[in-house]
Amino acid sequence: MPHTVAALYQFVSLPDAAALQAPLLALCEKLGITGTLLLAEEGINGTVAGSAEAIDAFLAELRGGALLGGRLDDLECKLSTAEAPPFRRLKVKLKPEIVTFDGGRTDPTRGAGETVAPEDWNALMARPNLLLVDTRNAFEVALGTFEGAVDPGTRSFSEFRAYADGLDPAEQTEVALFCTGGIRCEKAGAYLKERGFAHVHLLKGGILKYLETVPEAESRWRGDCFVFDERVALGHGLEERPGHEPEETR
């Protein structure tokens, strides 16, 4: 039976993040869910897997249950499937940030840019003088990226700040950012907005939503999309793409 995989995140104030760790762990264990969840005062991030029924129940609790009290009503979630279990165990971790960047100083809830639907992304990329930037790490970019995208050459996402600091808002008047599921784009976009970039665009739902939504015949994506589980990479239609090495062997 295929496993349902949920990649999810939301930037939202969770001052009680530490108190949520144990109840979320217990909920996942009760539902037979594996994977990793990260909790911080800035929100939640993670990828988990289980039966379709278990994932449905888990997402329903996050979005509307008493545990979070409706605070995750704007949860970004991408569902896909895996033939084999994509995770070996369950981890619910408390972190300073849900994606490591600058210790939490950059707050996407104050404004990260304009989100662009996957079906409108091709038209955006065709605009003249647009700076299209892949915010992922270099080894991810090597597997696949959009035509014409800039690779900042980062080994970790926190290095993106140095790349951004080298850009001039007066010269780069329009910037488009993308990543796997959207979370890194929100942090990067918020950082650029703070530095004075007026027009920042973010691919809503990330590469995964684009690969799910845009027909392959119309796609400007080239290669495969790295994912942080044992499937390693996905292609159009979110189909598993065999033959790639896991991250730890690189």
Side-chain angles (χ1 to χ4, degrees), residues 1-4 31-33 49-61:
M1 181 179 296
H3 301 259
T4 297
L31 294 171
I33 287 173
S51 68
E53 295 77 12
I55 294 299
D56 284 346
F58 177 67
L59 293 176
E61 177 61 37

Side-chain angles (χ1 to χ4, degrees), residues 19-124:
L20 294 170
Q21 185 179 19
L24 279 173
L25 179 65
L27 175 63
C28 290
E29 289 176 338
K30 176 183 176 181
L31 294 171
I33 287 173
T34 58
T36 299
L37 287 174
L38 304 181
L39 289 169
E41 293 190 3
E42 68 173 10
I44 187 171
N45 176 29
T47 305
V48 294
S51 68
E53 295 77 12
I55 294 299
D56 284 346
F58 177 67
L59 293 176
E61 177 61 37
L62 289 187
R63 287 174 167 141
L67 182 58
L68 275 301
R71 287 176 290 176
L72 297 186
D73 57 345
D74 197 30
L75 187 72
E76 184 73 43
C77 182
K78 182 77 225 54
L79 296 177
S80 58
T81 60
E83 291 302 318
F87 303 106
R88 298 171 185 171
R89 57 187 183 275
L90 170 67
K91 294 179 283 187
V92 180
K93 298 182 177 181
L94 194 63
K95 294 282 189 177
E97 300 175 273
I98 56 174
V99 58
T100 303
F101 191 64
D102 62 0
R105 294 187 296 277
T106 298
D107 182 2
T109 64
R110 297 177 182 173
E114 175 191 5
T115 57
V116 179
E119 52 267 33
D120 299 324
W121 190 248
N122 285 355
L124 175 71

Side-chain angles (χ1 to χ4, degrees), residues 97 99-103 105-106 133-141 150-167 177 184 187-189 191-192 195 247:
E97 300 175 273
V99 58
T100 303
F101 191 64
D102 62 0
R105 294 187 296 277
T106 298
V133 183
D134 194 329
T135 66
R136 301 171 304 149
N137 302 334
F139 75 88
E140 297 172 80
V141 179
V150 172
D151 174 13
T154 58
R155 293 168 298 176
S156 64
F157 182 51
S158 58
E159 294 180 359
F160 185 85
R161 287 179 291 131
Y163 166 77
D165 290 344
L167 301 177
L177 307 174
R184 284 178 279 187
K187 267 287 177 84
Y191 187 74
L192 289 178
R195 293 199 60 250
E247 180 193 7

Side-chain angles (χ1 to χ4, degrees), residues 139-206:
F139 75 88
E140 297 172 80
V141 179
L143 263 67
T145 192
F146 285 109
E147 293 178 0
V150 172
D151 174 13
T154 58
R155 293 168 298 176
S156 64
F157 182 51
S158 58
E159 294 180 359
F160 185 85
R161 287 179 291 131
Y163 166 77
D165 290 344
L167 301 177
D168 185 347
E171 294 181 0
Q172 307 294 343
T173 57
E174 194 168 27
V175 182
L177 307 174
F178 64 92
C179 61
T180 307
I183 187 170
R184 284 178 279 187
C185 293
E186 286 202 41
K187 267 287 177 84
Y191 187 74
L192 289 178
K193 295 290 284 187
E194 289 178 359
R195 293 199 60 250
F197 289 81
H199 302 289
V200 178
H201 308 281
L202 316 174
L203 176 56
K204 183 170 179 58

